[in-house]
Amino acid sequence: MDVSMKLNHIFSVFFSFLVLFQLQIVQAEQITPLESEADSALLLNQLVSVKSTSDKKDLISLIAGSNLPQRTRVLTAMQDGDLYYTKADEQLVYAKTHPDGYEIRAVVSGEDLGVVGSRKVRKISINNELRTVLRGVLAELALRSEDAAERLAAAKDLIRSPAPEFLAAIERAKAIENNDKVLESLNIAMAMINLKSDQQVFRLEAIEAFRGTLDSDAMSILAAMQLKDSDGNYLEKDELVRESSAAVLSEMRGKAKIYKLLENAFFGLSLGSVLLLTAVGLAITFGVMGVINMAHGEMMMLGAYTTYVIQLIMPNYIDYSIIVAIPAAFIVSGLVGIVIERGIIRHLYGRPLETLLATFGVSLILQQAVRSIFSPLNKSVSSPSWLSGSWEINGALSLTYNRLYIIIFSLIVLLLLVFLLKKTFVGLQMRAVTQNRAMANSMGIRTGWVDALTFGLGSGIAGIAGVALSQLTNVGPNLGQSYIIDSFMVVVFGGVGNLFGTFFAAMSLGVANKFLEPFAGAVLAKIFVLVFIILFIQWRPRGLFALKGRSVED
Amino acid sequence: MINKAIFERSAVGRLLLADKAGRYLITGLLAVMVVVPLCNLLMPAGSFLHIPTYIVVLLGKYLCYALLALALDLVWGYCGILSLGHGAFFALGGYAMGMHLMRQIGERGVYGNAELPDFMVFLNWTELPWYWYGFDNFFFAMFMVALVPAALAFVFGWLAFRSRVTGVYLSIITQAMTYALLLAFFRNDMGFGGNNGLTDFKDILGFSLQSDVTRCVLFALSALSVALAYILCRAIVSSKYGRVLVAIRDAESRTRFMGYRVEHFKLFVFVVSAILAGIAGALYVPQVGIINPGEFGPINSIEIVIWVAIGGRGTLFGAVIGAIAVNYAKTYFTGAFPEVWLFMLGALFVISTLYLPKGIVGVVNQMRERRAERDATSTPEQGAQS
Amino acid sequence: MSAVVKSPGFHSAEMQSMLYLNGVTKSFDGFKAINNLSLDISPGELRAIIGPNGAGKSTMMDIITGKTRPDSGEVKFRDSIDLTQYDEADIANLGIGRKFQKPTVIETLTVWENVELALAGTRSVLRALLHKLSSEQADKIDEVIKLVGLKVKTNDLAGSLSHGQKQWLEIGMLIVQGPELLLVDEPAAGMTDHETMETAALLKEINKDHTVVVVEHDMDFIKALDSKVTVLHEGSVLAEGRLEVVSANPRVIEVYLGR
């Protein structure tokens, strides 16, 4: 080692202490950028020359406190033992094992240096003390990330591996954290660490901190405190801690149960919304017109296939295809509905049982038509990206977006329909025709046209339901059949001719189904619901919200 | 030769004297009952007159369907109860028979367990469920063939008719009933073989189900059952009770104001019909060799309705003709043009409701009336007017 | 008690009223179809009930015959039988017959079969299955068919009858049912003037053996009946008495006759 290098070394150590001093001051506040790349190279290369543990500790803090872009990677590599330097020019490198030695890459320049023999490089050695420091420093770096999701992930990591060395970092992070969820996780992490303390005060405080949260790790730790060993002694010796943890645990479990109920209710409502969508079209054709449309399920099937075709037409815009599919399905199913009404049903008004048979025939024809055109196999319809993912409300409750959207969507459809029937002229005509055909006719309403339109509306809504179903189940020729009975049940249960009844029936049947499922299983739950409806009809032969009065008795 | 005087004096004779089509039907049924087995068993295989065994089985199947259609026509055609769940009664009768045949297998099953049917061994069951007790006895099983559908019909009908659930509401809940049973029988826990149902039957009363003689006997029994069921149904609808049924069908409220307990009248005919459907199922199972939950499918029940509608409802023989004609068409088309069958069936539904409200029988009657009028009047215009 | 008791059927000498309604109220979705209605029909009486559309006539009939249950009030038959406890079939068997506004006969059965079904006798399923007509019963059926003037139509399907003939057939069916009280809803609706007068005469003839309550619009018909009249309005009794008296009542003129 010649003189100049020696001088250089002395100078750089001196310089680094200057920088260190400067950074110590601004730590946890804003970090002043290093002046140049040269400075960063200087700082990083210290890792090669510095030997003592205490010097290395200082250097780690320096790097962590700097704004070097590589800092996280360097420190992670150091922690994992992947940080080396070349013996030849003492350059700091990342190394990856390779059959011929190591594959190395320069830390400062990022330059790929190829593969070198294992003798050409030497590891930057670390010990347990340094590992602890590194863990803390890395955690703190993650906790300071710009991205809230990264901070949250870091905090969750800390909950899973609580260690006292993170305490200071957590405290500092808490001071500047403004995201509630991250803050909550930090609190839990801190409590996890404090729980390991040997002082009762800290532990009690930690247990208290869990109260109000629903963290599953916290719950399992608290639950573990209630366990006994094989001799019947509690694993947790401190009685006060044990009792307080038991109290907090039961409170947490109570809350979790409530959220579980909420989640079930949410599942139920989303199932109810599917039922509502499938039944509301039927509520028009059956409820308003008195037509038993057994081809209603096939109208849904057509809607689902329309979605499929739209996706074939615009494969690069899957995210928007659904938006296009909704009106398209409405039009396709609506038009088919109008054709069925004009061709068949209009000859059969007042003969509901005959209508049932004829429309069943239509349903068979439509099924076979789809089989012949699209093959009998199920088609896959992709979901737009904005339908995936979920909305996490807390540790115990997260609502998936597709279910959420379907609830909103079904309500929009229902409201639009109510608006159409109650507030528009077409709706007025529809209601007039269904209430008194002869009178409406003599007032100049073209009853035939209104019938076709009403039936088309009901069928079109079934088509929209088909778009929603395409996101939930397989799109195949039998799609309609699996929903038709359920839809009839909903309409009959709710009371024919009453959209509110349909809404109420769909939601309550959906929720009932989901609450029965955990006890009875899906199939038995469905059987129970069917039997319930069969018995219910005995009690109220015209449904829950039947129209009363003389006019409907005959 | 039947002594004509005795025939005329007997109750059945009197019934059939007033029912020309019924006489033809009974005669036809008795004829095939004798001729078909003879042609199968006695004629050599290459002969022109030989009827192969698979045809015998197929015809036997049609006859079971005909019996089922009779059962439905009794409630729908005469009392206006459009049951979309008659397949359930048929399937229950079939399951009762299937359970007996299952117990007859004994040690000859795949697992060689004398006490438990194969599927129970497969599910690791160790004991026969209580509701399988007694089914090893033929007469108990036959009793159950009638009792189980009757009990279901009684409970269901008692609830529904008492509450005056009528028309499409009734149709929809009968459909819900068979759908619920479909779901239930699919479950392995129910102890009826789950998805696969009951099959691999060996023999009945010691006679192998594979032998031609057994098959011919089953066929003959089916034909006889249809004939007897027809006479029973005819007797019912020709009585004053039958006229009350028609009154209920056409003016239920009026019938009530005449003082008839409509619910009792409906319940009786519903239960009788369910028993007939159950018997049809019991005859069907040994001939086709399997019963599975698919028989409970709502579509099956609706198909029965179409047999009756196409044959002509409210005529009894129309139901028999419709069942046989539609099922023959089904056999033919599913074989020759499988793609076309559902189109055909769908079109049959539409056409029969739109243009043939009285079915085949109605068309035949109409043609006969036209001819009679043409014969009676010299000018064809007058005939066309009325 | 204006009406004279004529029928030997009214053996209970103490019987005050054949039909007695007191304070009967029935509402549908808040609309009071019947509002505190009271009515007293004496044994053997012929009573006409008139009122504009929506006055509650049909609902009143429904309540008496067990089709509709009242919200409150008493409905008594033969002084002591509480009709609200029974359903239609029970009430028919107790001896109240009802003819509907729209003629409802069983169109796919013959005239004879229609009358046979209505003929008084047991209504049980088993008896119906094994029923054999006795010669007296057959005579009775023939007699009634003759009474309502349908003898030549005996074996025709009821569906082939004219509107007026159907009305008569239904009246005939009511008679063979052997009720003590007949409720007749608008029997003259859709009839020619001649048929209307014949129907009035027929009802007066029937009244010799039965208590009859007639609901009707047609004033000529009411005049021909020549009986006590009850005017219903908005679900309660507006006036009651002889037609001359009632038609002089200014309120009646206002709500009904004056229009």
Coordinates of all heavy atoms in Angstrom, one line a residue, chain C residues 57-80:
Chain C
K57 N -121.7 -4.3 -2.7 CA -122.7 -5.4 -2.8 C -122.0 -6.8 -3.0 O -122.3 -7.7 -2.2 CB -123.6 -5.2 -4.1 CG -124.5 -4.0 -3.9 CD -125.1 -3.7 -5.3 CE -124.1 -3.4 -6.3 NZ -124.4 -2.7 -7.5
S58 N -121.0 -6.8 -3.9 CA -120.3 -8.1 -4.1 C -119.5 -8.5 -2.9 O -119.5 -9.7 -2.5 CB -119.4 -8.1 -5.3 OG -120.2 -7.9 -6.4
T59 N -118.9 -7.6 -2.2 CA -118.1 -7.9 -1.0 C -119.0 -8.4 0.1 O -118.7 -9.4 0.8 CB -117.3 -6.6 -0.5 OG1 -116.6 -6.1 -1.6 CG2 -116.4 -7.0 0.6
M60 N -120.2 -7.8 0.2 CA -121.2 -8.3 1.1 C -121.5 -9.8 0.9 O -121.5 -10.6 1.8 CB -122.4 -7.5 1.1 CG -123.5 -7.8 2.1 SD -125.1 -7.1 1.7 CE -125.6 -8.1 0.4
M61 N -121.8 -10.1 -0.4 CA -122.0 -11.5 -0.8 C -120.9 -12.4 -0.4 O -121.1 -13.5 0.1 CB -122.3 -11.6 -2.3 CG -123.5 -10.8 -2.8 SD -125.0 -11.7 -2.4 CE -125.8 -11.6 -4.0
D62 N -119.7 -11.9 -0.7 CA -118.5 -12.7 -0.4 C -118.4 -13.0 1.1 O -118.0 -14.1 1.5 CB -117.2 -12.0 -0.9 CG -117.0 -12.0 -2.4 OD1 -117.7 -12.8 -3.0 OD2 -116.2 -11.2 -2.9
I63 N -118.7 -12.0 1.9 CA -118.7 -12.2 3.3 C -119.7 -13.2 3.8 O -119.4 -14.1 4.6 CB -118.8 -10.8 4.1 CG1 -117.6 -10.0 3.9 CG2 -119.1 -11.1 5.5 CD1 -117.7 -8.6 4.4
I64 N -120.9 -13.1 3.3 CA -122.0 -14.0 3.7 C -121.6 -15.4 3.3 O -121.8 -16.4 4.1 CB -123.3 -13.6 3.1 CG1 -123.7 -12.2 3.6 CG2 -124.4 -14.6 3.4 CD1 -124.9 -11.6 2.8
T65 N -121.0 -15.6 2.1 CA -120.8 -17.0 1.6 C -119.4 -17.5 2.0 O -119.0 -18.6 1.6 CB -120.9 -17.0 0.1 OG1 -120.1 -16.0 -0.5 CG2 -122.3 -16.8 -0.3
G66 N -118.7 -16.8 2.9 CA -117.4 -17.3 3.4 C -116.2 -17.1 2.5 O -115.2 -17.6 2.8
K67 N -116.4 -16.4 1.4 CA -115.2 -16.2 0.5 C -114.3 -15.2 1.1 O -113.1 -15.3 1.0 CB -115.7 -15.8 -0.9 CG -114.6 -15.8 -1.9 CD -115.1 -15.4 -3.3 CE -114.0 -15.5 -4.3 NZ -114.4 -14.9 -5.6
T68 N -114.8 -14.2 1.8 CA -114.0 -13.2 2.5 C -114.4 -13.1 3.9 O -115.6 -13.3 4.3 CB -114.4 -11.8 1.8 OG1 -114.1 -11.9 0.4 CG2 -113.5 -10.7 2.4
R69 N -113.4 -13.0 4.8 CA -113.6 -12.8 6.2 C -113.7 -11.3 6.5 O -112.9 -10.5 6.1 CB -112.5 -13.4 7.0 CG -112.4 -14.9 6.9 CD -112.3 -15.5 8.3 NE -112.1 -17.0 8.1 CZ -113.0 -17.8 7.5 NH1 -114.1 -17.3 7.1 NH2 -112.8 -19.1 7.4
P70 N -114.8 -10.9 7.3 CA -114.9 -9.5 7.7 C -113.8 -9.2 8.7 O -113.3 -10.0 9.4 CB -116.3 -9.4 8.3 CG -116.6 -10.8 8.7 CD -115.9 -11.7 7.8
D71 N -113.4 -7.9 8.8 CA -112.5 -7.4 9.8 C -113.2 -7.4 11.2 O -112.6 -7.7 12.2 CB -112.0 -6.0 9.5 CG -111.2 -6.0 8.1 OD1 -110.7 -7.1 7.8 OD2 -111.2 -4.9 7.5
S72 N -114.4 -7.0 11.2 CA -115.2 -7.0 12.4 C -116.6 -7.1 12.1 O -117.1 -7.0 11.0 CB -114.9 -5.7 13.2 OG -115.3 -4.6 12.4
G73 N -117.4 -7.4 13.1 CA -118.9 -7.5 13.0 C -119.4 -8.9 13.0 O -118.6 -9.9 12.9
E74 N -120.7 -9.0 13.2 CA -121.3 -10.3 13.3 C -122.0 -10.7 12.0 O -122.6 -9.8 11.4 CB -122.5 -10.4 14.3 CG -122.2 -9.9 15.7 CD -123.4 -9.9 16.5 OE1 -123.9 -11.1 16.8 OE2 -124.0 -8.9 16.9
V75 N -121.9 -12.0 11.6 CA -122.7 -12.5 10.5 C -123.4 -13.7 11.0 O -122.7 -14.7 11.2 CB -121.8 -12.8 9.3 CG1 -122.7 -13.2 8.1 CG2 -121.0 -11.6 8.9
K76 N -124.7 -13.7 11.2 CA -125.4 -14.8 11.7 C -126.4 -15.4 10.7 O -127.1 -14.6 10.1 CB -126.1 -14.4 13.0 CG -125.2 -14.1 14.2 CD -124.8 -15.3 14.9 CE -123.6 -15.1 15.8 NZ -123.9 -14.2 16.9
F77 N -126.5 -16.7 10.7 CA -127.5 -17.4 9.8 C -128.4 -18.1 10.7 O -128.0 -18.8 11.7 CB -126.7 -18.3 8.9 CG -127.6 -19.2 8.0 CD1 -128.5 -18.5 7.1 CD2 -127.5 -20.5 8.0 CE1 -129.3 -19.3 6.3 CE2 -128.3 -21.3 7.1 CZ -129.2 -20.7 6.3
R78 N -129.7 -18.0 10.5 CA -130.7 -18.7 11.3 C -130.5 -18.3 12.8 O -130.5 -19.2 13.6 CB -130.7 -20.2 11.1 CG -131.0 -20.6 9.7 CD -130.9 -22.1 9.5 NE -131.8 -22.7 10.5 CZ -132.9 -23.4 10.1 NH1 -133.2 -23.5 8.9 NH2 -133.7 -23.9 11.0
D79 N -130.3 -17.1 13.1 CA -130.2 -16.5 14.4 C -128.9 -16.9 15.1 O -128.3 -16.1 15.8 CB -131.3 -17.0 15.3 CG -132.6 -16.3 15.0 OD1 -132.5 -15.2 14.3 OD2 -133.7 -16.7 15.4
S80 N -128.4 -18.2 14.9 CA -127.4 -18.6 15.8 C -126.1 -19.0 15.2 O -125.0 -19.1 15.8 CB -127.9 -19.8 16.7 OG -128.3 -20.8 15.8

